[in-house]
Amino acid sequence: MSSWQSGASLCRTPMTIASPAPTASNPASWLNNQPYLLLSLSSLFWAGNIVLARHVGAHVPPLTVTTIRWYGVFLILLPFAWPHLKRDWPSIRKSLPLMLFLSLVGFAFNNAISYWAMQYTEALNALLIQSAGPLFVALWSLALFGVRLTAAQLAGIAISLAGVLIIILRGDLAALASITFNRGDIMFASSLVAFGIYSAFIPRRPKIHQLSFLSFTTCCGATMLLPTAIWEASSGRVMQFDTVTLATLGYILIFPSTLAYLFFNRGVALIGPNRAAPFFHLVPVFGSAMAILLLGEKLQPFHLIGYALVLAGVVIASRQGSAVK
């Protein structure tokens, strides 16, 4: 945030016309320095992605749509990213193994396997597994870099996780015993393991522009997936470019891909992976809210209790200082 500068005193120059007040900061610049808002918006967009993926799971080939997703994001960003890519290329080349690894775990594997998983699992199971996201981030941060959760971060994750369970189980914790898991659940969990690794490494990525990072990693991720998309098409699962497919691609390209990753990467860069991790718990919160608003589900007391616990946990975890080694 730019600081306001005090105006000069008019006492000794009474005839001087005061300078106009400084204009407000650019909205994009302001948003770029609001980590809590950025991370909340990322969760909102990803919640919509889970709901959509389940809705169109049988209609859209998962490997093909993920490949198109990341090539599409790359083409959208390229005109804006090109000057930064040219400037940042020496740093990218110097850190090429890390950049390729982040492309694999954060874009190729993570997204392809999660779309694929939604063909075999229910949205309820996916949201339950999604709620474990902060734990994967914390475990990888500890295992790879010795970064430990603070007591407040651990408490915040536990409180928000309790809120998530209340929402998903509709206030009946006994329902947890009736949930069964299948291969789709294992696939979805593996995508969270990969994204936990990606989140832990984000603070250690090369110090390059956001657009350079995202355009390079999305292009590499899509290229890694291209052979699998060709295999999928050769096996008979060919994408039909009808209204449903085009609407799905439109949402995926803009919100959970371009904007969510830009926002998430910036949020993690500002406050660190462990403080950002509890925002994953907002995904099922937003998902249930979408069901209420868009699908006509009735707002129940357990929704309000769950929302309150999730928000309390996020606030407790994110307001504390950085995790320590």
Side-chain angles (χ1 to χ4, degrees):
M1 295 286 290
S2 60
S3 60
W4 298 105
Q5 297 185 359
S6 58
S9 172
L10 299 180
C11 293
R12 285 184 275 179
T13 54
M15 298 302 295
T16 302
I17 300 175
S19 300
T23 57
S25 299
N26 183 286
S29 177
W30 175 83
L31 180 62
N32 197 46
N33 290 287
Q34 306 299 318
Y36 306 136
L37 179 57
L38 291 170
L39 292 167
S40 298
L41 289 172
S42 296
S43 296
L44 174 63
F45 299 153
W46 283 330
N49 193 43
I50 290 178
V51 174
L52 184 63
R54 178 57 185 164
H55 180 67
V56 302
H59 186 80
V60 179
L63 301 176
T64 303
V65 75
T66 309
T67 304
I68 294 175
R69 171 185 184 177
W70 294 130
Y71 273 136
V73 172
F74 169 69
L75 293 175
I76 290 172
L77 294 178
L78 186 59
F80 310 99
W82 182 246
H84 304 291
L85 278 169
K86 290 193 295 183
R87 185 196 63 208
D88 292 333
W89 180 246
S91 297
I92 294 174
R93 186 170 56 186
K94 184 178 179 180
S95 302
L96 189 59
L98 176 59
M99 294 289 284
L100 292 175
F101 178 70
L102 292 175
S103 302
L104 174 65
V105 296
F107 296 88
F109 179 81
N110 165 45
N111 288 271
I113 203 72
S114 61
Y115 277 124
W116 200 352
M118 292 309 296
Q119 298 185 1
Y120 303 104
T121 189
E122 299 295 327
L124 172 62
N125 290 37
L127 290 172
L128 270 174
I129 298 167
Q130 178 76 38
S131 66
L135 300 180
F136 286 117
V137 175
L139 289 173
W140 281 118
S141 296
L142 175 62
L144 295 172
F145 306 112
V147 178
R148 293 178 284 123
L149 287 170
T150 65
Q153 289 166 356
L154 184 59
I157 289 175
I159 292 171
S160 59
L161 179 58
V164 167
L165 292 176
I166 288 174
I167 294 169
I168 294 175
L169 301 177
R170 308 181 70 82
D172 180 13
L173 295 181
L176 191 61
S178 65
I179 294 176
T180 58
F181 295 96
N182 55 33
R183 63 172 174 168
D185 303 318
I186 297 173
M187 293 165 66
F188 196 86
S190 70
S191 75
L192 282 181
V193 172
F195 198 75
I197 298 173
Y198 173 84
S199 302
F201 270 98
I202 280 295
R204 289 158 177 83
R205 70 177 176 85
K207 305 301 182 184
I208 58 177
H209 196 276
Q210 272 266 65
L211 293 177
S212 298
F213 176 78
L214 193 57
S215 59
F216 182 86
T217 49
T218 52
C219 182
C220 289
T223 303
M224 292 173 182
L225 286 170
L226 185 58
T228 67
I230 294 172
W231 166 80
E232 186 176 58
S234 67
S235 66
R237 292 217 60 190
V238 180
M239 179 172 289
Q240 304 295 323
F241 287 95
D242 53 20
T243 303
V244 173
T245 301
L246 292 176
T248 299
L249 286 175
Y251 176 81
I252 290 174
L253 285 174
I254 295 172
F255 295 101
S257 304
T258 305
L259 294 180
Y261 272 82
L262 281 171
F263 292 175
F264 178 80
N265 291 344
R266 178 60 178 167
V268 171
L270 289 173
I271 66 173
N274 279 342
R275 291 177 65 196
F279 283 84
F280 281 122
H281 285 157
L282 292 179
V283 174
V285 170
F286 286 133
S288 65
M290 288 178 184
I292 293 170
L293 295 174
L294 303 178
L295 303 180
E297 291 192 8
K298 185 178 179 181
L299 182 66
Q300 301 284 352
F302 66 80
H303 286 118
L304 300 178
I305 296 172
Y307 295 160
L309 286 173
V310 170
L311 293 176
V314 168
V315 169
I316 290 171
S318 61
R319 289 185 62 187
Q320 302 303 312
S322 300
V324 294
K325 285 192 175 184

